[in-house]
Amino acid sequence: MHQREWVSAYEALAEKTVKESQAPGVIIGINQHGESLYRKAYGYRDAERKWAITPDTVMGLASVTKSFTCMAIMQLQEAGKLSVHAPVVAYLPEFRTPDQTRTERMTIHHFMTHSAGIPPLPVDMLAVKNSLFDTIPKEDNPIHRFIKKEQQKPIHTHADLLEVLAHVQYELLGEPGQHFSYSNECYALLGAIVERVSGKPYDVYVKEHILAPADMRSSTFLLGDLSRFPEVTTIYHKKDNHGELDVYPDFEWEEGPAVMAAGHLNSTVRDMLNYAEIFRTGGCVGKERILSAESVRQMTLPHVVCNYKKHYGYGLMVEPNYYGGTLLKHGGAIKGVAAHLAIVPERGLTAVVLANLIGTPVEKLTLAALNLIEGREAEAPLTKYEEYRVSPQRFQAYVGDYASGEGMNVSVTVEEGALVLTNHTALFSNEKGLKYPLLPIAENYFLAQMDGSELTVGFANQADGLAKAVSVGYRQIPRVSLTKPEV
């Protein structure tokens, strides 16, 4: 497909998608072989003042930050200062979980691949100011189920984080390496390891060893730096107004010094396309080598299965069979932020989409662009799913309520012969109470359509066959009620 043809098709889809999402501003940037292929802004960085959004507008990255943290770890391994296969307690001896025997077997590799066995926890609620967690009603706040009131304290430093984590009451998911469950706490502790091993604050290390050599001049972890940049987005939030969702500016950005390694870098499309070069070229931005080719290879291996036919590397999701190439990607979502990074190294493609409203389908916009550029339909799937039949009696093993320490509450029911997942919190979606029919695709795996994207939902079973957890958003959400299967 010629560029004029794919651009026309893409912009029609993007305009419709952005309008439906209610995002005030979205910016899209795509390079091929290090050269600009496409730039397009929709809406504004400040909708009230009608200020344009551009490739130089500073916006949040949220969890796209995680690959920066892993890159810092790999640099320190290259320098001989740590090993990714060494126990975490070798660097953080005060790290504790409810099962210290398993704790001592947790490695940096397990933290980077979200496979240490730590379930979703409410620690962010004590570590992040102005976050979405602040919107959880007091009576629904899960923190009281995990941390005694006298042990709840604001978390400002890594020492605070380690102290609070030592008192959290929960059950590990299993042996290290056995289960994938996305963990911001593990990534926050990776930041603590970077700090201890390098002797520099995490943000300073990343600035000196990644941001500066990659010519990322408009990127920072510190909200105090934002005033020095000429273009900074306003962040936006949604609220329920008598059944209608209103979008409004929110001037309180999320801030969490102790957990910044998990998702608090701010950047621009221009800077992020520079950063993506590291993965396209095997470690370089221009003539500057940021990481060795071997370390890039290790970061982009499909180390663990994170969901049905999906894999996780180090701070990146890895699709090893992407239409004859490899797709590296990661998204991010916090208040006022929706971000997505994608790289297809074999084809020289790098893409970044940033928005100033959580819930904007930035992954859909990224993947549609890659599909159209390479001559596929915009909606061509990442994964092909086979038809799979499940007995209605088997559905009963999944029925129940599930709740996570991060505040996500879902229920699974059978309605009109189909399995249905209902979201009961607005924390990770634009609306609560939405129902998502689940289509069987494999044993214990189902497919749902959520926020404009395909979502794979998986169940982890106990020895008796009952589901003990549901995997939604790459998190293992434990079951809080059990319903015996009907015979």
Side-chain angles (χ1 to χ4, degrees), residues 229-472:
F229 299 121
E231 293 183 29
V232 180
T233 191
T234 297
I235 65 170
Y236 291 84
H237 196 39
K238 283 186 178 182
K239 63 180 177 181
D240 191 321
N241 184 12
H242 304 292
E244 297 290 329
L245 287 174
D246 290 341
V247 176
Y248 66 97
D250 190 325
F251 300 103
E252 296 184 323
W253 289 48
E254 287 197 13
E255 185 173 20
V259 295
M260 64 172 63
H264 288 273
L265 182 58
N266 304 294
S267 188
T268 69
V269 160
R270 192 181 306 278
D271 280 7
M272 286 303 296
L273 287 170
N274 280 356
Y275 174 71
E277 286 292 281
I278 298 169
F279 299 101
R280 182 186 75 84
T281 66
C284 295
V285 178
K287 295 181 180 179
E288 290 285 338
R289 177 159 291 281
I290 314 297
L291 202 62
S292 72
E294 174 57 22
S295 289
V296 173
R297 189 189 72 82
Q298 289 182 40
M299 282 190 68
T300 57
L301 288 173
H303 288 293
V304 298
V305 175
C306 60
N307 213 320
Y308 179 70
K309 292 187 177 181
K310 297 182 185 299
H311 302 81
Y312 203 88
Y314 288 162
L316 292 164
M317 292 186 177
V318 182
E319 299 280 350
N321 301 302
Y322 178 70
Y323 297 101
T326 304
L327 174 63
L328 311 173
K329 66 187 181 77
H330 210 289
I334 57 177
K335 187 175 70 171
V337 176
H340 201 264
L341 169 70
I343 303 112
V344 187
E346 297 90 343
R347 273 125 43 205
L349 286 167
T350 56
V352 179
V353 181
L354 305 177
N356 50 21
L357 178 70
I358 191 173
T360 306
V362 288
E363 180 178 15
K364 176 182 177 180
L365 290 169
T366 309
L367 298 182
L370 296 181
N371 280 332
L372 288 168
I373 288 167
E374 299 199 303
R376 297 184 293 274
E377 293 293 325
E379 306 288 347
L382 278 176
T383 303
K384 291 185 178 180
Y385 301 101
E386 305 294 332
E387 183 177 354
Y388 189 84
R389 296 187 180 277
V390 178
S391 164
Q393 285 77 19
R394 176 63 182 154
F395 286 166
Q396 292 298 327
Y398 309 122
V399 170
D401 298 320
Y402 302 79
S404 82
E406 288 181 320
M408 190 169 188
N409 299 300
V410 302
S411 62
V412 176
T413 56
V414 178
E415 300 181 15
E416 298 181 358
L419 206 61
V420 175
L421 182 142
T422 304
N423 175 34
H424 297 292
T425 175
L427 192 57
F428 293 100
S429 184
N430 291 334
E431 300 177 62
K432 60 182 178 180
L434 292 182
K435 293 178 179 288
Y436 302 97
L438 300 179
L439 176 69
I441 55 174
E443 182 69 19
N444 297 320
Y445 283 105
F446 297 80
L447 191 67
Q449 297 290 332
M450 184 179 290
D451 292 337
S453 300
E454 289 184 341
L455 178 77
T456 308
V457 175
F459 291 89
N461 294 336
Q462 303 177 134
D464 61 5
L466 291 177
K468 65 178 181 180
V470 61
S471 175
V472 181

Side-chain angles (χ1 to χ4, degrees), residues 123-181:
V123 176
D124 265 4
M125 298 182 188
L126 298 172
V128 182
K129 299 177 184 176
N130 310 318
S131 76
L132 286 173
F133 293 120
D134 297 337
T135 66
I136 299 176
K138 200 171 201 179
E139 61 275 12
D140 296 334
N141 195 319
I143 196 168
H144 308 301
R145 291 191 285 112
F146 290 82
I147 309 174
K148 294 179 180 178
K149 188 173 182 181
E150 61 270 20
Q151 293 166 338
Q152 297 176 21
K153 57 177 281 187
I155 295 173
H156 302 297
T157 66
H158 290 137
D160 294 336
L161 175 63
L162 286 159
E163 180 184 344
V164 172
L165 277 171
H167 296 297
V168 181
Q169 300 174 23
Y170 62 96
E171 183 180 344
L172 292 173
L173 297 170
E175 288 291 328
Q178 186 178 4
H179 296 282
F180 178 96
S181 187

